[in-house]
Amino acid sequence: MRRISVFGATGSVGANTLDLIRRDRDAYHIVALTGGRNLAALTEQALEFRPDVAVIADETQLAALRAALAGSGVEAAAGRAAVVEAADRPVDWAMSAIVGVAGLEPGLRVLEQGATLALANKETLVAAGPLVMATAGSHGATILPVDSEHSAVFQALRGEDPASVERVIITASGGAFRDWPVETLAKATVADASTHPNWDMGQRITIDSASMFNKALELIETHEFFGIDPGRIEVLVHPESLVHALVGFNDGALMAHVGPPDMRHAIGHALHWPERRALPVERLDLAAIGSLSFRASDEVRWPALRLAREVMAAGGGAGAVFNAAKEQALDGFIAGQIGFADMAGVVERVLEKLSKMNGGAAPLGLDAIMVLDQRARQEAQRIMDAFER
Ligand code: NDP
């Protein structure tokens, strides 16, 4: 029986992971399920899946979790340290689906066990790519990408000689403003940016999609995970969101991964890897779809892409600064403190200001990364506070 933990079980990726596990329940022993604040969802999952431990990150809810799980045989724990400790419990496979930099340390602990980490959490590779890859390497652990673009690249590379790869292309829907004239973007409201042309997702990721900060994070993840030179990674706008990524080889072949926009494909691929097993996702009818379209990405319309390239060139702690500054700028935009088009400028100024703290190209440890994360948030807030005056 495979021992499995799901970090961020109560979120969208976590719930989709449990949906796949539920279909073959007897094959798994669930070690830990963790949630952030959603006590009701965590309780329901714990009573269904009977993990060894259920952990809620919000420590004020420990007594309520204990009461809800009384008599079930499931241990209850709470707090940030308890989430990290849960990652020390031996497993064969774990899902990293906590949102934000809080997902970094549990993921590192799973890698230190030498286990397999299915990685959805974007911040892990953006903020700490060199540390994470080195930790996996030194402990014989495996990382499997879960973001659909990276899973697509991973699948297209299967069985190929890395030396034959010329380029990697990740696609982007283009978000809410792909057809807006560039000069009108400064006037975009939070409501405008919170509407995605293709998907109904959470507000923050929808705005990150409109600004392409989400794609910028994915560019950095592609570089860190696959070790591909930034100059050979391209972003292609593909409004239908059915081709997730393409890999170009030295004989001119482009291997494209085409699939439905359903996270259970990438999650299921990581869950069953190295096998392929039947998954409950839609089978695409390309004749009915008829046509797919592509257009070049544009670093003037989406300056986040330019900043991602600068971050990759800088290395060291630049990714941690970029991620944290972007989170704070997004908070500022949602709160009405800055405009949509100001977000990239705020991030750029924080990157400039903290460039001396990046530590050059040397990989940083976890503590140094967390210090940079905090400094970048403070600096971004300081810059935005000055906007109001
Ligand atoms: P959700 O917001 O739906 O879920 C996030 C999970 O993290 C929840 O379980 C939440 O708990 C938990 N959480 C939040 N804050 C903390 C904290 N401080 N400590 C511990 N746990 C916390 O996010 P998604 O499932 O959509 O995404 C998860 C990650 O995967 C993100 O990094 C995202 O960028 C990435 N990703 C998501 C994709 C998607 O399609 N959704 C695609 C590819 C990557 P609770 O809800 O109980 O508060």
Side-chain angles (χ1 to χ4, degrees):
M1 213 185 269
R2 283 175 86 198
R3 296 165 303 168
I4 280 190
S5 288
V6 181
F7 295 89
T10 51
S12 163
V13 172
N16 276 311
T17 306
L18 290 175
D19 177 62
L20 294 177
I21 288 172
R22 179 183 289 119
R23 292 160 196 266
D24 195 10
R25 182 65 194 88
D26 294 341
Y28 305 102
H29 172 90
I30 311 299
V31 175
L33 295 180
T34 80
R37 306 183 63 87
N38 190 339
L39 178 74
L42 184 64
T43 302
E44 192 180 328
Q45 291 177 342
L47 292 176
E48 177 182 355
F49 289 93
R50 302 286 164 149
D52 296 342
V53 64
V55 189
I56 188 139
D58 175 8
E59 51 199 348
T60 65
Q61 301 198 62
L62 177 59
L65 182 64
R66 275 207 183 116
L69 297 180
S72 68
V74 178
E75 186 185 333
R80 187 174 163 270
V83 174
V84 175
E85 276 161 26
D88 287 334
R89 298 194 181 211
V91 288
D92 302 300
W93 186 96
M95 168 57 75
S96 165
I98 289 175
V99 67
V101 79
L104 173 57
E105 196 173 2
L108 282 170
R109 295 292 186 102
V110 169
L111 294 175
E112 284 166 6
Q113 291 187 30
T116 296
L117 184 69
L119 189 59
N121 173 273
K122 290 179 197 277
E123 293 75 9
T124 298
L125 284 174
V126 174
L131 173 67
V132 168
M133 298 308 287
T135 304
S138 61
H139 291 85
T142 301
I143 304 176
L144 298 172
V146 172
D147 219 342
S148 56
E149 291 78 2
H150 307 97
S151 175
V153 173
F154 187 75
Q155 293 179 54
L157 285 173
R158 207 163 158 164
E160 302 286 357
D161 176 1
S164 66
V165 175
E166 271 183 357
R167 58 184 176 144
V168 167
I169 303 170
I170 58 173
T171 60
S173 70
F177 304 138
R178 66 184 175 217
D179 297 319
W180 282 38
V182 178
E183 59 281 7
T184 61
L185 292 181
K187 296 200 180 70
T189 65
V190 173
D192 294 330
S194 304
T195 312
H196 196 283
N198 299 356
W199 298 308
D200 186 13
M201 301 189 292
Q203 185 188 40
R204 295 178 74 83
I205 193 163
T206 302
I207 299 173
D208 276 352
S209 193
S211 63
M212 285 257 196
F213 268 110
N214 184 47
K215 208 51 55 178
L217 299 180
E218 292 175 6
L219 262 178
I220 300 169
E221 285 184 282
T222 304
H223 167 59
E224 297 291 353
F225 183 74
F226 297 104
I228 306 226
D229 183 66
R232 295 194 289 128
I233 311 171
E234 300 168 21
V235 174
L236 182 68
V237 176
H238 168 47
E240 294 85 4
S241 303
L242 296 176
V243 178
H244 302 298
L246 308 94
V247 178
F249 293 93
N250 57 4
D251 60 356
L254 260 183
M255 301 299 288
H257 181 286
V258 188
D262 182 335
M263 280 307 294
R264 290 177 306 171
H265 170 75
I267 296 168
H269 182 268
L271 181 62
H272 301 308
W273 182 87
E275 292 173 29
R276 274 196 192 273
R277 295 211 193 144
L279 293 173
V281 298
E282 180 197 350
R283 271 51 175 171
L284 291 181
D285 179 348
L286 290 177
I289 291 163
S291 63
L292 299 174
S293 60
F294 303 95
R295 50 178 119 149
S297 60
D298 172 349
E299 294 187 3
V300 174
R301 176 182 294 275
W302 293 297
L305 298 178
R306 174 178 56 79
L307 294 177
R309 295 202 180 276
E310 290 172 13
V311 165
M312 290 187 284
V321 171
F322 179 71
N323 174 67
K326 171 238 137 195
E327 284 293 303
Q328 200 71 23
L330 178 58
D331 286 343
F333 172 58
I334 292 171
Q337 196 174 14
I338 59 170
F340 179 79
D342 296 325
M343 285 191 287
V346 169
V347 174
E348 185 160 21
R349 285 175 62 187
V350 177
L351 281 166
E352 278 164 15
K353 176 85 186 187
L354 299 188
S355 62
K356 289 196 179 55
M357 289 178 70
N358 280 348
L364 299 178
L366 181 61
D367 291 346
I369 288 166
M370 298 314 288
V371 167
L372 269 181
D373 179 275
Q374 282 307 311
R375 277 296 307 275
R377 286 173 204 268
Q378 287 160 2
E379 191 58 32
Q381 194 53 54
R382 199 188 58 75
I383 292 167
M384 292 192 295
D385 289 344
F387 265 71
E388 290 185 323
R389 286 199 286 270

